[in-house]
Amino acid sequence: MKRALSYLGLAAVAVYCLAPFYWMVASALRRPQDQFDNSPVPSPVSTENFRAVFGGHNDFGRALLNSIVVAGVTTVFTLVVGVFTAYALARLDFRFKNAVLGLVIGTTMFPGVSQLVPLLKLFTDIGWINTYQAMIVPSLGFALPLSVWLLTAFFRQLPFELEQAAMVDGCTRGQAFRKIIVPLAAPGVFTTAILTFIAAWNEFLIALSMVNRKEMQTATVAISKFTGVSGFDQPFGTQMAAGVIVTVPLIIVVLVFQRRIVAGLTAGSVK
């Protein structure tokens, strides 16, 4: 009975989480004239919405490229800065180390919308509006605290004796970090990279506020501005199709690397 209840609970959670995505797929596969049909299975099945996503008036291909650039650059810079910062906080002894870590985590308490107006004013003054850096820099500010927190916990669980043994063999601290610590910390780094990329890929508010040129908008902003198959009709079906295109790659990545993600998230939880 307990096992049956456990499976029933897992099934209920799975249905609750997957039902919106299934409805998005079903809506995307309906014909434009059937977009308000409430049947659970589309009939007949049509790919017209998917073809319309990449129509000339949507320029969705360029929007996907912009999202890849923003999310990719944000992930790379987050990892570079986060790895060195987390290593210093986890392995080096200096005054106010815990205060610095608390300050890093404290920055996550401020909602993103509260920082939007100051950032918009700053980027307008320095001429960054409608540029990649106007979307990348704020995303870095939101992603770095999480990456530092995750990587610090991961570095703390690695034995100090590994570095000491490497330095006894002639390595400098930098060589020990590069050749010993970083390879061992790969699961945590990989997890941080995936979570950062997903967060930057799904970001909407900053991209909407900092960019008003169509050729610079990201995929999430482009979806919100779709005009439908003909350019004048309700874009519900086209938006659902674009949502499927944007979501499926993330789902595949998470399913393929789910064990690494769990290993990175649980690092440092036990001795």
Side-chain angles (χ1 to χ4, degrees), residues 61 100 119 121 167 196 201 212 266:
V100 172
L119 287 174
K121 178 64 168 60
M167 287 187 283
T196 301
W201 180 268
N212 51 42
T266 57

Side-chain angles (χ1 to χ4, degrees), residues 74-247:
T74 300
T75 302
V76 171
F77 276 96
T78 298
L79 289 181
V80 171
V81 178
V83 165
F84 286 105
T85 304
Y87 178 81
L89 291 172
R91 314 292 278 190
L92 304 181
D93 291 326
F94 56 91
R95 297 181 63 185
F96 307 115
K97 182 172 69 173
N98 292 331
V100 172
L101 183 59
L103 182 63
V104 170
I105 300 302
T107 59
T108 62
M109 297 172 59
F110 301 96
V113 67
S114 67
Q115 307 174 38
L116 191 59
V117 174
L119 287 174
L120 185 61
K121 178 64 168 60
L122 173 63
F123 293 161
T124 302
D125 292 341
I126 64 178
W128 275 18
I129 298 300
N130 291 315
T131 62
Y132 285 128
Q133 57 265 32
M135 296 179 282
I136 293 172
V137 172
S139 296
L140 281 172
F142 299 136
L144 271 174
L146 175 62
S147 67
V148 169
W149 180 262
L150 291 176
L151 292 173
T152 298
F154 205 93
F155 283 133
R156 280 178 174 172
Q157 78 166 353
L158 299 179
F160 284 93
E161 290 79 6
L162 294 174
E163 292 170 274
Q164 295 172 353
M167 287 187 283
V168 168
D169 290 338
C171 289
T172 64
R173 180 177 285 275
Q175 290 174 328
F177 169 74
R178 186 176 69 256
K179 296 179 180 180
I180 304 298
I181 300 301
V182 171
L184 291 175
V189 174
F190 194 86
T191 300
T192 303
I194 292 179
L195 295 178
T196 301
F197 186 88
I198 291 175
W201 180 268
N202 291 331
E203 201 286 318
F204 174 76
L205 187 59
I206 293 175
L208 178 65
S209 304
M210 303 300 174
V211 171
N212 51 42
R213 288 168 51 189
K214 187 175 183 180
E215 60 271 20
M216 291 299 299
Q217 64 189 10
T218 58
T220 53
V221 177
I223 293 174
S224 69
K225 296 182 178 181
F226 273 0
T227 56
V229 176
S230 65
F232 300 98
D233 57 323
Q234 168 61 247
F236 180 72
T238 313
Q239 288 175 328
M240 294 298 102
V244 172
I245 295 172
V246 170
T247 306

Side-chain angles (χ1 to χ4, degrees), residues 20-53 229 235-245 248:
F21 181 72
Y22 172 78
W23 192 253
M24 182 169 63
V25 174
S27 300
L29 293 174
R30 291 190 174 96
R31 298 177 302 177
Q33 58 267 34
D34 299 331
Q35 61 182 334
F36 294 112
D37 184 11
N38 292 325
S39 59
V41 179
S43 181
V45 174
S46 172
T47 60
E48 187 174 352
N49 288 319
F50 288 94
R51 295 195 301 269
V53 168
V229 176
F236 180 72
T238 313
Q239 288 175 328
M240 294 298 102
V244 172
I245 295 172
V248 166

